[in-house]
Amino acid sequence: MLESIRRWAARNLDDRQVALLSELTSYARRDILRMTTEAGSGHPGGSLSSVGIYLLILAALDAENGDQLVVSHGHTAAGIYAALGRMGFVEPEKVVAGFRRKGSPYEGHPSLQVPGISWCSGALGQGLSVGCGFAAAARQQGKDSRIYVVMGDGEQSKGQLSEAREFAVSHGLNRLTAVIDYNRQQASGSLENILPQQIAAKYRAAGWTVEQVNGHDFSALYQALKRAEGNSCPSVVIAETVMGCGVPGRENDYTFHGAPLSREKLESCTLGLKGTGPRMPKKETAALSGFRGLDGGKRKVYPADAKTDLRSAFGTALLDVARSSQGKGLAVFDCDLMESVKVSDISKEFPASFYESGIAEENAVTTAAAMAKAGMVTFAAGFSAFMIDEVYSQLRMGDINHAPLKIAATHCGLDVGEDGKTHQCLDYLSLLSNLRHMQVLTPADPNQTDAMVRYMVQSGEAQCLCMGRSKTAVLTNEDGTPFFGKDYQFRYGEGHWLRRGKDAAIITFGMMAPKALEAWEELRRRGIEVSVYLISCPGIYSPEDIKATANTGLVVTYEDHFVESGIGKDIGAFLAQNGLFCKLACLGVKEYGCSAKPEELYQMQGLSPADLANVIIRGISS
Amino acid sequence: MLESIRRWAARNLDDRQVALLSELTSYARRDILRMTTEAGSGHPGGSLSSVGIYLLILAALDAENGDQLVVSHGHTAAGIYAALGRMGFVEPEKVVAGFRRKGSPYEGHPSLQVPGISWCSGALGQGLSVGCGFAAAARQQGKDSRIYVVMGDGEQSKGQLSEAREFAVSHGLNRLTAVIDYNRQQASGSLENILPQQIAAKYRAAGWTVEQVNGHDFSALYQALKRAEGNSCPSVVIAETVMGCGVPGRENDYTFHGAPLSREKLESCTLGLKGTGPRMPKKETAALSGFRGLDGGKRKVYPADAKTDLRSAFGTALLDVARSSQGKGLAVFDCDLMESVKVSDISKEFPASFYESGIAEENAVTTAAAMAKAGMVTFAAGFSAFMIDEVYSQLRMGDINHAPLKIAATHCGLDVGEDGKTHQCLDYLSLLSNLRHMQVLTPADPNQTDAMVRYMVQSGEAQCLCMGRSKTAVLTNEDGTPFFGKDYQFRYGEGHWLRRGKDAAIITFGMMAPKALEAWEELRRRGIEVSVYLISCPGIYSPEDIKATANTGLVVTYEDHFVESGIGKDIGAFLAQNGLFCKLACLGVKEYGCSAKPEELYQMQGLSPADLANVIIRGISS
């Protein structure tokens, strides 16, 4: 009788539906108490207040319509699992037995392995951005899906929500409905005692429609959700609830947030319920659209005498790809830097694929990750200091969700020059190395950039394309032809021998490659023959190639990155772990630079081609 | 005549003052045009609209009162430098000649080397939190200082500002006045085209007093600032300005945001000004209070049979220190986890030293960093996933400002157990390794934790204390006495030989140490004698000690951290760089764990003491 509440009852639930939802909620509450006590951990308080909201929305979800539910306050995992159990998505008894146990999908925070869970949450304040991403993806995919995001009240203090509110309004995501479990209790005390906030006022100020209802009154909640469907703006329903609802003596008790009942208490508190309780017939939500990828198009070959910056090569390639797909399946995010990061042409030609996100990178990255998860080829472009350092937590959560997000990070390294230390991103490889599914691509010239972009749009994996700011030369073979010529196709993990020599090996990546070739030239004049080996995907190393560099007897790593957290350390560890014994010198950035031209900054840190040549000369003779 | 505007004219400026401010502004605008054109980069547009605001506030700053000006939109560096020049803080001609040049203090974003700059900004949206920190520090230090924060309008979309607004109201920081340079233009277009936002409504919703005035009308702006002084809440003045103000043909032109005039244009655009122009007599702002430190008190020694968690040892030591200082000079920040991170006793006994920040970690960390910069011994406590990963950008900016912030990061590693992957912080060493001034401390037992906390409160450097979640044993000598006994004092960088043996060496840190000792015990039973070497400060290694481990012929690193970004890589690179040849095996976390008990998670990843022993047995015989 609950299968299609939305279509069955236009305005209200009938008494039988309310009675059934109430009964399901009671049993789901007992499930919550049992699973948290059995596990000896978890978060019963908020799960008990949220579970009715979950049950109603799960009942109302129209799978054919592609509707989705996002749980933002992931610590109510027990609540959503219990609701999924009673609503026919999973087996209630398996949830109770498996919650927070080794080998079970019912992890402490919502796990993607559980049917009905569309996004793994746990870091608070990100769910509304996820909802924005799902809603935007559905719209671009021609679906009329309704996206529900259930949030806690405590997490309303997270700044990312402010960004998401404005993004949703700016982009007209009117199919988005948020529900806040307003139980007024947090982990450490009441909302008023922790950080007072005017929740309704914040949403109204951003242009949302706000309703406040009794969150335990299914009719009232349902009607509010129905009204939200008709709004010409995003809607939020503040659902007044009771933390620990239904448990005698523990209602409105903040200490119930993260501490289960003891076994003895549980015995005396089965909520008067007996038997296994009711459970709805098997139900499934719509899967998010799968990744399709875009046609990579035809490689653009920059001639040997071209000189451009890599971000322009990126923008040119992406525009080319966008044109062949007419923007279909593509989403591009910008954070008020569209000229600098070279996506302004896309904003003009394909406005429906372009998401201007303002100076609000956290929402931009989470929203983009969610769009990627929902099947769109999604790029987020920005300065690396803001598209990597500023949003590490958002990247990490996107990674845990295995969202195939594409980051275009420009202005890496000292190469940013005069903007100075706040803008010199010297730690990007270090941060990115912790993301389990993010492929790190460091193009060394415009041709390689072009090839990498065409790879990215076809790949179902996440990538970060790390580029500098300055104009740079096209890498060439010794005969002067482009090294990455028309037949070059990027293959993930592949390194390249730019030059071969027996006396020593330089290992480098990205925009230091032309400087390494300058050193090679200088050394050749002096009769020293060195190899120059180019890493294209830091973190992935060919054992044979690294062994070959070690066989020269002297390896010198050379990078525009903090020396203690870049490829030098990787290579050093690789040599030690593999018993490859050779001399090793690591050249990299020792300290943030001041404001100066990149060439000056490199000189100040001993990173000029002449410095590199000298290190090799000294290394060979030592 | 401007030296003490605040005391001299209670309600308004007189005509002479307005005329002088106007003249100074004109010349400062010429300075801005000259310096950006000379540099060939920089941000003239916003500098031209902000510079009058800077001049007025600098004139009104009462140094004796400890007033401070914080520049949040750091890209207006040309504007604040020009204002500092005309207001007598620095030499205008030196600014013009040095801006964005090698060897000059006048970097592309405000540099601490410039007199009058109290905080180096560049990542947008953090300045209001800095103002909160300065205001809170001044209040605790018994000063009545007025703190002014000047921000851009574009950055108002940053979520951290929402957090800061609520924090300021919650903590009654009524001496805080924000001024927004409301020129309605951003880098990529008008405010309305980039991300529409209702700025006044957001501040009102948070409980701030909002005024909107003509930002180029000194009388109006001054009166608004005066009225703000009397408000019993934080105040914001929205100053309506014109981007590119004063430059014919370029006013309200967003493309003037980040592109200087050409030399030719500059020639024809000296704003009709001649000569060097007026400059106020030498002026200085008050320095922020210097770091004093607290008495470390007396070491608490946990006996060999004690079993507690490190976060409790941290909380106990900090409470002890707080008691001896009666909370004076101490600030402790919590983000709604006070019971879990063991600072709830401090919240009760020393409420004036306790800053409950809610689920809003970004503001908490920036505010705490600013308090630390202003001389307070400041701790920010939280789960490592949220106090490190979630706030990396805020830590980075605190680090660039050399703020001696103390982070107490609990729940590190797989040791967090059942909460699952979102809460398993497995990358903390990797992230922290990029902070230039942050000392990383990884206590291995309650005694070492106690010693480290007592060190931290006395040290003028930043530290991050990285702790697990579980109860753990007290480390002992072979004779069963506590290894870190009553005479142990923590020394930064010092490692420890927990055991000495000739056959192999285990290098470990933190809560894996007891497990390493279990392996040592097991190996001894089998007649294998291994060393167990404890790192207390990952990133700092004693060459002699590491050499001694290598001399055993087999080094095994053992850590509860992603194996590719923890100490294993450090040690590997150290061995390779120093030509120390031995066998090396790195044991660490390969993948996020599921929800399970820590011991189960260690077993699943081959990290149990038995696994460690087996690796050594195999390594020795290979």
Side-chain angles (χ1 to χ4, degrees), chain A residues 48 91 102 125 128 134 138 172 356 367 376 425 461 481 486 488 502 506 522 552 608:
Chain A
L48 291 163
E91 296 280 343
K102 178 183 166 188
L128 196 59
F134 285 174
E356 179 51 62
T367 301
M376 302 292 293
C425 182
E461 294 298 317
T481 57
K486 69 177 168 41
Y488 171 66
K502 63 178 188 341
I506 300 166
E522 169 63 20
T552 65
S608 72

Side-chain angles (χ1 to χ4, degrees), chain B residues 36-99:
Chain B
T36 50
T37 295
E38 285 294 329
S41 68
H43 302 81
S47 296
L48 291 162
S49 56
S50 289
V51 68
I53 300 166
Y54 292 143
L55 281 161
L56 180 64
I57 293 175
L58 288 174
L61 280 187
D62 182 347
E64 281 176 37
N65 200 41
D67 295 355
Q68 295 290 344
L69 165 63
V70 177
V71 176
S72 182
H73 54 327
H75 58 269
T76 62
I80 184 65
Y81 295 157
L84 288 167
R86 294 292 158 183
M87 203 46 73
F89 289 78
V90 297
E91 296 281 343
E93 287 308 313
K94 285 193 181 165
V95 173
V96 171
F99 184 61

Side-chain angles (χ1 to χ4, degrees), chain A residues 100 108 158-159 163 166 186 202 336 361-362 390 392-393 419 427 434 436 565 569-570 595, chain B residues 100 108 158-159 163 166 186 202 336 361-362 390 392-393 419 427 434 436 565 569-570 590 595:
Chain A
R100 287 181 162 243
K158 286 290 287 180
E163 302 181 1
E166 292 176 354
Q186 301 193 210
K202 288 197 278 193
D336 192 23
E361 293 84 1
E362 300 186 353
E390 181 88 5
Y392 180 72
S393 173
D419 268 339
D427 48 17
N434 295 298
R436 318 315 290 165
S565 61
K569 183 157 285 182
D570 283 358
S595 281
Chain B
R100 287 180 161 243
K158 286 290 286 181
E163 302 181 0
E166 292 176 354
Q186 300 194 210
K202 288 196 278 193
D336 191 25
E361 293 84 1
E362 299 187 353
E390 180 88 4
Y392 179 73
S393 173
D419 267 339
D427 48 16
N434 294 299
R436 319 315 289 164
S565 62
K569 184 158 284 183
D570 284 358
K590 297 180 202 79
S595 282

Side-chain angles (χ1 to χ4, degrees), chain A residues 316-365:
Chain A
T316 301
L318 191 60
L319 183 63
D320 184 50
V321 167
R323 282 176 178 161
S324 28
S325 71
Q326 280 305 301
K328 208 162 154 338
L330 176 70
V332 178
F333 282 72
D334 169 55
C335 295
D336 192 23
L337 289 168
M338 66 172 93
E339 298 287 346
S340 297
V341 302
K342 309 299 182 188
V343 292
S344 56
D345 286 340
I346 289 186
S347 83
K348 288 173 205 132
E349 283 192 40
F350 304 101
S353 301
F354 187 76
Y355 295 86
E356 179 51 62
S357 308
I359 305 172
E361 293 84 1
E362 300 186 353
N363 172 69
V365 166

Side-chain angles (χ1 to χ4, degrees), chain A residues 426-430 509 559-563 565-567 588-589, chain B residues 434:
Chain A
L426 296 162
D427 48 17
Y428 55 104
L429 295 184
S430 171
F509 69 87
E559 59 190 314
D560 184 1
H561 191 281
F562 279 142
V563 68
S565 61
I567 64 161
V589 180
Chain B
N434 294 299

Side-chain angles (χ1 to χ4, degrees), chain B residues 54-232:
Chain B
Y54 292 143
L55 281 161
L56 180 64
I57 293 175
L58 288 174
L61 280 187
D62 182 347
E64 281 176 37
N65 200 41
D67 295 355
Q68 295 290 344
L69 165 63
V70 177
V71 176
S72 182
H73 54 327
H75 58 269
T76 62
I80 184 65
Y81 295 157
L84 288 167
R86 294 292 158 183
M87 203 46 73
F89 289 78
V90 297
E91 296 281 343
E93 287 308 313
K94 285 193 181 165
V95 173
V96 171
F99 184 61
R100 287 180 161 243
R101 280 174 203 278
K102 178 183 165 187
S104 149
Y106 302 104
E107 299 189 355
H109 287 79
S111 161
L112 288 177
Q113 302 166 68
V114 176
I117 300 292
S118 56
W119 187 264
C120 168
S121 52
L124 292 169
Q126 301 192 12
L128 196 60
S129 302
V130 175
C132 286
F134 286 175
R139 184 173 59 189
Q140 255 191 277
Q141 290 161 346
K143 293 186 276 190
D144 192 38
S145 316
R146 192 93 216 161
I147 310 297
Y148 296 93
V149 178
V150 182
M151 298 183 276
D153 49 4
E155 68 174 317
Q156 297 303 311
S157 47
K158 286 290 286 181
Q160 188 172 340
L161 284 167
S162 170
E163 302 181 0
R165 282 192 291 269
E166 292 176 354
F167 182 90
V169 170
S170 173
H171 291 278
L173 302 177
N174 304 336
R175 306 292 292 152
L176 182 65
T177 300
V179 181
I180 297 171
D181 177 24
Y182 190 42
N183 64 25
R184 300 170 194 253
Q185 304 296 329
Q186 300 194 210
S188 307
S190 74
L191 208 67
E192 286 67 34
N193 285 337
I194 298 303
L195 190 74
Q197 45 172 327
Q198 307 305 318
I199 295 174
K202 288 196 278 193
Y203 282 84
R204 281 204 191 93
W208 287 53
T209 295
V210 181
E211 281 211 50
Q212 190 152 340
V213 301
N214 177 346
H216 296 312
D217 177 338
F218 286 112
S219 283
L221 188 55
Y222 178 78
Q223 289 175 53
L225 295 177
K226 291 301 287 181
R227 280 191 294 272
E229 290 188 19
N231 290 335
S232 57

Side-chain angles (χ1 to χ4, degrees), chain A residues 47-234:
Chain A
S47 295
L48 291 163
S49 57
S50 289
V51 69
I53 301 166
Y54 291 142
L55 280 162
L56 179 65
I57 293 175
L58 288 174
L61 280 187
D62 182 347
E64 281 175 36
N65 200 40
D67 295 355
Q68 294 290 344
L69 164 63
V70 177
V71 176
S72 183
H73 54 327
H75 58 269
T76 61
I80 184 64
Y81 295 156
L84 288 166
R86 294 291 158 183
M87 204 45 74
F89 290 78
V90 296
E91 296 280 343
E93 287 307 312
K94 285 194 180 164
V95 173
V96 171
F99 184 59
R100 287 181 162 243
R101 281 174 204 277
K102 178 183 166 188
S104 149
Y106 301 104
E107 299 190 354
H109 287 79
S111 161
L112 288 177
Q113 301 166 71
V114 176
I117 300 292
S118 58
W119 187 265
C120 167
S121 52
L124 292 169
Q126 300 192 12
L128 196 59
S129 302
V130 174
C132 287
F134 285 174
R139 184 172 59 189
Q140 255 192 274
Q141 290 161 346
K143 293 186 276 190
D144 191 37
S145 315
R146 192 91 215 162
I147 310 296
Y148 296 93
V149 179
V150 182
M151 298 182 276
D153 50 4
E155 68 173 318
Q156 296 303 312
S157 47
K158 286 290 287 180
Q160 187 172 340
L161 284 167
S162 170
E163 302 181 1
R165 282 192 290 270
E166 292 176 354
F167 181 91
V169 170
S170 172
H171 291 277
L173 302 177
N174 304 335
R175 306 292 292 152
L176 183 64
T177 300
V179 180
I180 297 171
D181 177 24
Y182 191 41
N183 64 26
R184 298 170 195 254
Q185 304 295 329
Q186 301 193 210
S188 307
S190 74
L191 209 67
E192 287 66 34
N193 285 336
I194 298 302
L195 190 74
Q197 44 172 329
Q198 306 305 318
I199 295 173
K202 288 197 278 193
Y203 282 84
R204 282 205 190 93
W208 286 54
T209 295
V210 181
E211 283 211 49
Q212 190 152 340
V213 301
N214 177 347
H216 296 312
D217 177 338
F218 285 112
S219 282
L221 188 55
Y222 179 77
Q223 288 174 55
L225 295 177
K226 292 301 288 180
R227 281 189 294 272
E229 290 188 19
N231 290 334
S232 57
C233 63

